[in-house]
Amino acid sequence: PGLTEATTPAQNGSDIVLTIDAYFQGILEEELHKTIEEVDATSAMGIVMNPHTGAILAMANVPTFNPNRVASSNANLRRNRVVMDAYEPGSTFKIVVASAVLEDELVDAEDKVHCGWGELHLSNGDVIRDMEKHGDLTFAQVLQKSSNIGLIKFARLLPKERFYQHMRRFGFASRTGISLPAENSGLLSKVEDWSERSLETMAIGQEVSVTVLQLAQAYSAIANGGHLIAPRILRNDIKTEDQIPDEMTPKVIRRVIKSDTAKEMRRMLQSVVDNGTGELAQIDGIKVGGKTGTAQKASKEGVGYDKEATVVSFAGFLPVMAPRYVCVIVIDDPKNGGGGGSVAAPVFKRTMQRIVHLP
């Protein structure tokens, strides 16, 4: 309305350096693209992370879109689902209760439990099932075979409040604080809102939702000896042209479990790959640890689960005793190919095999 206009001169921004490795990123995207075509899946997500620094070395969502023609792309494809979308993880979440009972010295790896004959009847009348009839298993074998029944029986040794504390300490239901927009915190009800079966179902990765990034952060805590490290995708700012970029110091949020607990968890997760549900993640000459997951998706009608739709995954690290990489692979609704062990584990193998053999 006046005769003068106030202006602020534009200022040049500073360059940034990402933690992303272009070769790792290309490999991850290629393998995810190949997989969704092979198993006729809706979509796929993946991440490769340094468990000691929190640096994200690759982060991919497929199908992708052409950033040069944004207007012609589907809005859903422009979402960074690794950070923005939360899902029920299923058995990859079992590391939390397994770490918790070891950390609180309630069990050791050789303690045995009777897993029944494939069914566990809960107090409210619901039934939890295993894919196979396992009979007696040690604690290590429960994780190796991914027995829902066995894990629930060990989980019941934990007071509800203590289990909740362990889940929160692993970073679930909290944003990681990564420098990316619209991060999802996931879902984890407070103890006072739990149902009669919440402890049992949360122990096996139901009734809780997580992001791929949160899961990678949790597995990194096991891989690095027990510390929750803040993930990051920005290496640093470059303020002047002649300034040499220095890698940022890793930010340790807290100690989640003791180093001995983390070491025992790595050993047991190695057995999952050596002799259990994750055998298709094996890489010649390298010891791999990890966990498979096959979770039903919520029904579109809003009640219960869709019996036909699944989210399958594999979360792992290598090499086991001195992990350099954590990798999480999630495939949404594969129409053929099976569960996490048969669909996601091979993607982990191909991705990490190519990465570790880069010159």
Side-chain angles (χ1 to χ4, degrees), residues 52-70:
H52 301 282
T53 67
I56 296 170
L57 306 174
M59 177 185 286
N61 303 267
V62 298
T64 54
F65 71 99
N66 185 348
N68 295 311
R69 306 181 69 177
V70 173

Side-chain angles (χ1 to χ4, degrees), residues 50-278:
N50 182 323
H52 301 282
T53 67
I56 296 170
L57 306 174
M59 177 185 286
N61 303 267
V62 298
T64 54
F65 71 99
N66 185 348
N68 295 311
R69 306 181 69 177
V70 173
S72 62
S73 65
N74 185 310
N76 190 50
L77 299 183
R78 300 197 295 268
R79 297 171 61 82
N80 184 356
R81 296 184 297 279
V82 170
V83 174
M84 297 172 67
D85 289 7
Y87 69 103
E88 284 197 355
S91 293
T92 53
F93 196 73
K94 289 177 179 177
I95 61 159
V96 180
V97 74
S99 298
V101 293
L102 286 173
E103 179 73 4
D104 291 359
E105 300 180 358
L106 301 174
V107 302
D108 62 44
E110 301 307 315
D111 285 352
K112 286 188 177 183
V113 66
H114 184 62
C115 299
W117 304 112
E119 291 187 350
L120 177 66
H121 294 265
L122 304 180
S123 59
N124 66 347
D126 292 341
V127 179
I128 300 289
R129 294 179 174 85
D130 277 341
M131 296 296 292
E132 301 176 29
K133 298 177 181 179
H134 295 299
D136 291 338
L137 293 176
T138 65
F139 181 59
Q141 289 171 333
V142 164
L143 206 59
Q144 183 187 111
K145 306 293 183 184
S146 200
S147 168
N148 292 331
I149 295 171
L151 196 80
I152 285 171
K153 288 188 174 182
F154 284 117
R156 285 172 171 171
L157 299 174
L158 279 168
K160 292 179 180 180
E161 292 77 9
R162 184 60 177 157
F163 182 30
Y164 178 80
Q165 290 171 6
H166 278 289
M167 289 188 284
R168 292 304 307 270
R169 289 187 65 78
F170 265 101
F172 296 109
S174 297
R175 294 181 179 88
T176 67
I178 193 170
S179 304
L180 290 171
E183 183 181 6
N184 196 321
S185 63
L187 177 66
L188 175 61
S189 299
K190 294 182 179 179
V191 176
E192 54 265 31
D193 298 323
W194 288 13
S195 69
E196 292 181 15
R197 57 171 288 170
S198 289
L199 185 143
E200 287 84 356
T201 52
M202 287 180 179
I204 60 175
Q206 296 179 346
E207 206 178 318
V208 57
S209 66
V210 307
T211 65
V212 175
L213 180 60
Q214 286 176 327
L215 202 62
Q217 184 185 34
Y219 273 77
S220 292
I222 291 173
N224 67 31
H227 291 103
L228 195 71
I229 305 292
R232 56 189 175 85
I233 199 164
L234 293 179
R235 183 174 176 181
N236 71 326
D237 293 339
I238 302 177
K239 299 299 183 184
T240 61
E241 292 183 1
D242 59 351
Q243 182 179 355
I244 300 175
D246 294 320
E247 189 165 332
M248 292 168 60
T249 303
K251 180 182 177 182
V252 178
I253 299 172
R254 59 179 165 270
R255 175 169 283 282
V256 180
I257 51 176
K258 297 188 291 286
S259 59
D260 288 346
T261 303
K263 184 176 181 180
E264 184 63 22
M265 282 297 300
R266 291 196 298 271
R267 187 186 70 81
M268 291 197 297
L269 290 171
Q270 179 185 332
S271 75
V272 173
V273 176
D274 287 350
N275 303 297
T277 59

Side-chain angles (χ1 to χ4, degrees), residues 12-28:
N12 291 330
S14 59
D15 292 333
I16 58 173
V17 178
L18 300 182
T19 59
I20 295 289
D21 184 294
Y23 292 107
F24 290 19
Q25 183 72 22
I27 289 170
L28 180 59

